[in-house]
Amino acid sequence: MVPGGGIKPFISHSIYPCLYGDIDILPSLLCSKVCSDDPEEKVTFTKKKPPPNMALRSGIWHLRMRVPTRYKLVEKKSELHRTLSTGDLEEASARRGIVKKQILAELDAKLAGRNPQPVNHFEAMAELASARQFSYQTAEELEVSGANAIMDRVLALISGKDTPQSPAAAALLGGVERPKLTISEVADKMPEWYSENIKNKAEKARKTWCAQWSRPASKVVALLGFDPVFTQISRVDAVALRDALKDRIIDNDMLGKSAQKELRLLNTLWEKYHDHIGVDERMMPPSPFYKLGKGFGALDDEDGRKLEVPLEIIRTKIVAPGALDFMNDEARDITLVLTETGARQSEITDLPPGSIFLDAPIPHIWIRKETGDWAREVKNKPSKRKIPLVGVALEAFRRHPGGFPRYRFKGTYSAAANKALHAQKVLPENITIGGLRHSFETRMINAGEENDVRAAMMGHSIKKARGREWYGDEMPLPDKLAILKKIMFRQPV
């Protein structure tokens, strides 16, 4: 380092003149492949027709890429060429995607340079650094990393023939300061930064995913009285939030497990923010929310568990012929399906027509991840399963072979069903429709089914149920059918 100069003058006045001048200090690093005498490393040529967007020049493959229209403001050329640094066709084809990503990242960085928004410019630079296989670090952070870390980046720039004024140089050598986003801004950015997490979610599920970041962030803002810069939130501030949530638990205004979840989500938000901006996890600053709220769940009443619907009520007031005629036809039949499948409510209400198989040798539904117009996700991997249809559930789907459009993706079934069932005194006030799922497991217990069998039927993890790793295929439909027939409610003849 230059005494008293710091990293910026060290890079601009010391390294670049040397490395970009006439002094050849890196022949073995940069020329080993090109100058090799090994016949197996000689550049190879091909007489085949070049693959799309590739050209062979002097024995070296190059990428030919048309410049997308959106970059016309920052790139005058209509086509860009970039060496793939190899004469081997297979290796060049493998590198083509990586080099294309680098070019697009550079164009994005140039485009962002025209945008006065510092957040956009920083994110483009971070993406460009990532495309060059480096995490983004500011100049100050690089100075702490040391000369070797800086040299690695400079060598990468030389290898890529990048000038000191190029966007790549700014990206790899920390030429842009990190933007100071508030916690609300970070929460609002999550769907943009992690769009892959909501790509296949239905609208309601997408809103729920976004709310898990905005909701706890709003609690921080409410506590402090202002929207703090996210990275400047102190441990003292986080502890104050914890204590405020604890007061709400004591006043029975909030469940302990809910407060614990909010603090856990804030900790996750911290990690995801730093991961997005390219901070190496080994250098990530400690989260102020780390392990706060631990043990809050123990403050809840043990009776907080959802109560099951008594079997006698199911038999006489739900599955009995005509018992639910006071409900609209879709709400009634969803209720009957839940009774005989043990499925989660959304697994039935959001089921698309293509996952209902009434004409199969064993009529069944298939709970799975959906894409396209019916996009939805399942809760977890064990939730993906096929459920045979028996009794009132089979009859209900025969009346609704395309599913339940009135409630699909709306999340309104539970409130509507509970309101109607409580008004008609079918369910006691302290029991909700969600208790049908608990009743379903009780019926399997009464039938003598083992824990892991019950887990498979309900879409729970068999690994957790057994307390060890689980191997093997999903339980066959005929076996599931036998269990459901054993516990189903039979109609009077």
Side-chain angles (χ1 to χ4, degrees), residues 302-378:
E302 293 183 3
D303 294 336
R305 180 179 176 272
K306 196 172 292 183
L307 298 176
E308 65 182 60
V309 180
L311 301 186
E312 187 58 28
I313 289 181
I314 298 176
R315 184 179 295 106
T316 60
K317 296 184 177 183
I318 293 180
V319 301
L324 299 181
D325 284 352
F326 57 88
M327 303 176 79
N328 70 67
D329 60 342
E330 288 195 24
R332 176 201 65 211
D333 283 338
I334 291 170
T335 304
L336 294 175
V337 170
L338 294 174
T339 300
E340 290 292 28
T341 60
R344 300 176 180 91
Q345 294 174 33
S346 62
E347 291 176 338
I348 301 303
T349 59
D350 298 351
L351 194 68
S355 290
I356 302 169
F357 303 91
L358 298 177
D359 296 328
I362 297 178
H364 65 280
I365 56 175
W366 193 354
I367 310 299
R368 56 181 170 175
K369 179 180 178 179
E370 309 281 355
T371 57
D373 293 339
W374 307 104
R376 72 162 183 169
E377 294 183 335
V378 293

Side-chain angles (χ1 to χ4, degrees), residues 180-450:
K180 294 182 178 180
L181 296 177
T182 67
I183 188 171
S184 294
E185 290 172 330
V186 172
D188 291 342
K189 281 279 189 180
M190 288 295 283
E192 175 187 333
W193 292 344
Y194 293 94
S195 57
E196 69 277 8
N197 290 343
I198 57 176
K199 179 181 178 182
N200 293 315
K201 289 185 183 295
E203 183 60 27
K204 180 177 180 294
R206 187 179 294 113
K207 290 180 179 178
T208 300
W209 188 90
C210 295
Q212 70 179 333
W213 314 117
S214 59
R215 185 186 60 249
S218 67
K219 286 183 171 62
V220 175
V221 174
L223 172 73
L224 298 179
F226 64 96
D227 196 0
V229 172
F230 189 44
T231 55
Q232 293 177 3
I233 296 175
S234 68
R235 182 70 171 182
V236 172
D237 293 333
V239 169
L241 174 64
R242 180 202 64 186
D243 292 344
L245 293 177
K246 188 173 182 179
D247 287 341
R248 291 186 61 185
I249 298 169
I250 294 172
D251 291 340
N252 294 318
D253 191 34
M254 188 179 198
L255 288 175
K257 62 182 180 182
S258 298
Q260 187 170 329
K261 181 179 180 180
E262 299 288 74
L263 291 165
R264 186 171 65 248
L265 285 170
L266 285 169
N267 187 64
T268 303
L269 184 64
W270 182 273
E271 293 174 352
K272 284 186 170 294
Y273 166 75
H274 286 90
D275 179 65
H276 170 74
I277 63 176
V279 176
D280 189 317
E281 63 179 7
R282 294 167 298 180
M283 303 175 65
M284 186 181 298
S287 166
F289 306 101
Y290 181 67
K291 284 194 174 181
L292 287 181
K294 185 178 181 182
F296 271 11
L299 300 177
D300 291 337
D301 274 340
E302 293 183 3
D303 294 336
R305 180 179 176 272
K306 196 172 292 183
L307 298 176
E308 65 182 60
V309 180
L311 301 186
E312 187 58 28
I313 289 181
I314 298 176
R315 184 179 295 106
T316 60
K317 296 184 177 183
I318 293 180
V319 301
L324 299 181
D325 284 352
F326 57 88
M327 303 176 79
N328 70 67
D329 60 342
E330 288 195 24
R332 176 201 65 211
D333 283 338
I334 291 170
T335 304
L336 294 175
V337 170
L338 294 174
T339 300
E340 290 292 28
T341 60
R344 300 176 180 91
Q345 294 174 33
S346 62
E347 291 176 338
I348 301 303
T349 59
D350 298 351
L351 194 68
S355 290
I356 302 169
F357 303 91
L358 298 177
D359 296 328
I362 297 178
H364 65 280
I365 56 175
W366 193 354
I367 310 299
R368 56 181 170 175
K369 179 180 178 179
E370 309 281 355
T371 57
D373 293 339
W374 307 104
R376 72 162 183 169
E377 294 183 335
V378 293
K379 183 174 182 180
N380 47 40
K381 188 174 180 181
S383 296
K384 179 183 176 182
R385 65 198 188 283
K386 295 178 180 179
I387 305 176
L389 298 172
V390 298
V392 293
L394 178 56
E395 294 171 8
F397 269 115
R398 283 175 175 162
R399 290 189 289 268
H400 299 277
F404 305 99
R406 179 169 180 166
Y407 296 99
R408 185 178 286 129
F409 301 142
K410 295 182 175 68
T412 56
Y413 161 76
S414 181
N418 283 321
K419 181 179 179 180
L421 293 169
H422 287 145
Q424 294 295 321
K425 307 298 184 183
V426 173
L427 294 181
E429 285 298 323
N430 63 331
I431 295 178
T432 67
I433 195 65
L436 284 174
R437 184 163 159 84
H438 295 267
S439 303
F440 183 81
E441 180 158 20
T442 293
R443 290 154 62 192
M444 289 192 290
I445 293 173
N446 294 343
E449 299 299 337
E450 297 292 334

Side-chain angles (χ1 to χ4, degrees), residues 3-283:
I7 184 171
K8 291 179 180 177
F10 172 69
I11 291 173
S12 59
H13 298 124
S14 178
I15 295 181
Y16 271 122
C18 174
L19 297 183
Y20 281 96
D22 296 328
I23 302 174
D24 183 7
I25 63 171
L26 301 167
S28 61
L29 285 175
L30 302 181
C31 304
S32 58
K33 279 288 184 183
V34 177
C35 305
S36 174
D37 293 328
D38 189 338
E40 294 185 1
E41 295 188 3
K42 290 287 185 181
V43 173
T44 57
F45 296 87
T46 178
K47 296 182 180 179
K48 296 181 180 179
K49 183 179 179 181
N53 305 322
M54 288 173 63
L56 193 64
R57 294 180 176 179
S58 302
I60 301 295
W61 286 104
H62 287 69
L63 170 68
R64 299 176 54 192
M65 176 182 153
R66 186 177 297 277
V67 177
T69 304
R70 65 182 180 276
Y71 298 115
K72 293 299 183 183
L73 288 174
V74 294
E75 180 52 65
K76 295 180 180 180
K77 296 180 181 178
S78 60
E79 186 174 271
L80 295 176
H81 294 190
R82 184 71 60 86
T83 179
L84 297 172
S85 304
T86 181
D88 183 85
L89 178 58
E90 184 176 345
E91 188 175 353
S93 297
R95 292 180 182 178
R96 179 172 52 180
I98 298 173
V99 173
K100 182 178 180 180
K101 180 182 177 182
Q102 291 177 353
I103 293 175
L104 290 174
E106 290 171 9
L107 291 172
D108 281 332
K110 289 181 180 179
L111 200 59
R114 297 175 60 92
N115 190 329
Q117 292 283 341
V119 174
N120 295 337
H121 196 189
F122 172 80
E123 290 181 1
M125 288 299 176
E127 180 65 25
L128 176 51
S130 177
R132 295 298 183 93
Q133 314 304 313
F134 290 96
S135 63
Y136 185 83
Q137 291 182 273
T138 63
E140 288 75 13
E141 291 166 349
L142 276 173
E143 185 171 8
V144 174
S145 298
N148 289 337
I150 298 170
M151 185 61 70
D152 288 342
R153 294 171 182 244
V154 172
L155 294 179
L157 291 169
I158 296 174
S159 179
K161 297 182 179 179
D162 298 291
T163 67
Q165 294 77 31
S166 68
L172 266 61
L173 297 175
V176 179
E177 294 300 319
R178 296 190 190 279
K180 294 182 178 180
L181 296 177
T182 67
I183 188 171
S184 294
E185 290 172 330
V186 172
D188 291 342
K189 281 279 189 180
M190 288 295 283
E192 175 187 333
W193 292 344
Y194 293 94
S195 57
E196 69 277 8
N197 290 343
I198 57 176
K199 179 181 178 182
N200 293 315
K201 289 185 183 295
E203 183 60 27
K204 180 177 180 294
R206 187 179 294 113
K207 290 180 179 178
T208 300
W209 188 90
C210 295
Q212 70 179 333
W213 314 117
S214 59
R215 185 186 60 249
S218 67
K219 286 183 171 62
V220 175
V221 174
L223 172 73
L224 298 179
F226 64 96
D227 196 0
V229 172
F230 189 44
T231 55
Q232 293 177 3
I233 296 175
S234 68
R235 182 70 171 182
V236 172
D237 293 333
V239 169
L241 174 64
R242 180 202 64 186
D243 292 344
L245 293 177
K246 188 173 182 179
D247 287 341
R248 291 186 61 185
I249 298 169
I250 294 172
D251 291 340
N252 294 318
D253 191 34
M254 188 179 198
L255 288 175
K257 62 182 180 182
S258 298
Q260 187 170 329
K261 181 179 180 180
E262 299 288 74
L263 291 165
R264 186 171 65 248
L265 285 170
L266 285 169
N267 187 64
T268 303
L269 184 64
W270 182 273
E271 293 174 352
K272 284 186 170 294
Y273 166 75
H274 286 90
D275 179 65
H276 170 74
I277 63 176
V279 176
D280 189 317
E281 63 179 7
R282 294 167 298 180
M283 303 175 65

Side-chain angles (χ1 to χ4, degrees), residues 347 364-368 380-388 452-453 455-460 462 466 470-481 483-484:
E347 291 176 338
H364 65 280
I365 56 175
W366 193 354
I367 310 299
R368 56 181 170 175
N380 47 40
K381 188 174 180 181
S383 296
K384 179 183 176 182
R385 65 198 188 283
K386 295 178 180 179
I387 305 176
D452 55 342
V453 171
M457 294 293 290
M458 299 186 70
H460 290 155
I462 298 178
R466 289 185 175 180
W470 175 73
Y471 303 95
D473 298 328
E474 181 183 356
M475 186 189 306
L477 271 179
D479 293 353
K480 292 182 178 180
L481 179 62
I483 293 171
L484 290 176

